Amino acid sequence: MTGAARFRLAHDAPVPEWDSRSWRSPVWDVVGASVVGESHRGSGDPRQDAFAAAVVGDVAVLAAADGLGSSVYAHVGAQIAADTMVHRLAAVAGGGVPSPDGPCADGRSWRDVVFHALADIRAELQPTEALVDGVMRTLYDTTLLAAVVHPAGGLFVHVGDGAGLACRGGAGALSDPILSSPENGLFDNETFPITLPDITPHVRFTSFGPAEVVMVMTDGVTPFALEAAGGPLRPRFLQPIDRHLADHGGPAGAEALAATLDGPE
């Protein structure tokens, strides 16, 4: 199926209010969830966050993308960005702990793989603007946060807001947390989508050591998980999630995470 055909299907497909999925390997138990926000539910706009994941041997690959509310088809851009980045990173997983300039399974650096994936995503998200009801609107703007996780360490790849968190001993213990922080503009509600003309200055890499829990979050979750954009962490939110997922992984864990995100707060 060509990119254009896949695009048309994505535009026309209804977007469910919830999405919860899980992936398992002998090493990793991965759960993901996305829930439409109250403002979008009230306005009838689709859920604009998306996620994807894969497990390849002893490596897990995660991604979360947040479509910008100002873009007409932000939900399409977010899902394509998350799916494509996970597919590209999973295809070269292996060969040890990932690092920006270290080799992946095909001999290229992880940095090179990431920038080639971003170039392909950006090419698919064209045109970036169109005239809609007489107004020039952006179409597919989205942020993107991915993680490649090996038992001995991992790597965050980050464009825009949201946050990545890697902890030893579980998020409940909050031991040795490493954070990939949001990047915002002059105001908290401004950020940098992957569709910018020059994205290079906004692509950030953060390495981390061995971690039992790794999270990638969009900006709808970070206010509950972090006291501020760069931390510290909020145990009241993170500890119950970590404890529950330690005992209930798989589909049940993913559904429980979605229910938490859809809670009254």
Side-chain angles (χ1 to χ4, degrees):
M1 183 177 295
T2 67
R6 180 154 57 90
F7 233 24
R8 285 195 293 272
L9 288 172
H11 280 73
D12 296 338
V15 182
E17 290 194 352
W18 277 34
D19 183 10
S20 64
R21 287 172 279 152
S22 63
W23 300 257
R24 265 184 164 161
S25 76
V27 179
W28 301 108
D29 191 352
V30 180
V31 299
S34 174
V35 177
V36 68
E38 283 301 316
S39 62
H40 287 206
R41 186 173 281 146
S43 64
D45 290 331
R47 173 175 51 84
Q48 294 177 326
D49 289 4
F51 65 91
V55 288
V56 183
D58 59 358
V59 174
V61 182
L62 323 171
D66 182 7
L68 273 61
S70 56
S71 288
V72 181
Y73 300 116
H75 59 292
V76 176
Q79 194 65 66
I80 287 175
D83 287 344
T84 304
M85 184 59 73
V86 164
H87 176 74
R88 295 302 180 83
L89 296 178
V92 296
V97 180
S99 64
D101 297 308
C104 54
D106 69 356
R108 291 181 294 164
S109 71
W110 285 98
R111 187 187 304 274
D112 188 41
V113 171
V114 165
F115 275 102
H116 274 88
L118 285 171
D120 288 344
I121 294 168
R122 286 157 55 83
E124 190 161 354
L125 301 184
Q126 293 292 331
T128 58
E129 295 182 327
L131 200 63
V132 179
D133 296 330
V135 178
M136 188 62 70
R137 297 275 304 276
T138 60
L139 296 180
Y140 309 110
D141 284 0
T142 181
T143 65
L144 181 61
L145 169 59
V148 184
V149 191
H150 183 276
L155 180 68
F156 289 119
V157 179
H158 202 162
V159 182
D161 55 20
L165 174 65
C167 291
R168 294 192 63 130
L174 301 180
S175 175
D176 302 323
I178 298 295
L179 187 66
S180 181
S181 299
E183 184 185 16
N184 295 98
L186 293 176
F187 302 98
D188 288 345
N189 63 347
E190 293 180 348
T191 191
F192 302 95
I194 62 173
T195 43
L196 285 175
D198 182 11
I199 195 62
T200 302
H202 302 289
V203 181
R204 296 171 287 130
F205 296 86
T206 303
S207 297
F208 55 89
E212 282 71 42
V213 172
V214 177
M215 299 183 182
V216 292
M217 302 170 273
T218 64
D219 73 336
V221 178
T222 50
F224 302 103
L226 307 176
E227 294 289 351
L233 311 182
R234 283 186 167 173
R236 180 173 173 267
F237 178 79
L238 295 171
Q239 286 175 339
I241 292 176
D242 179 47
R243 286 195 295 264
H244 185 84
L245 294 179
D247 297 327
H248 306 88
E255 291 173 8
L257 180 58
T260 298
L261 297 178
D262 200 30
E265 289 188 304

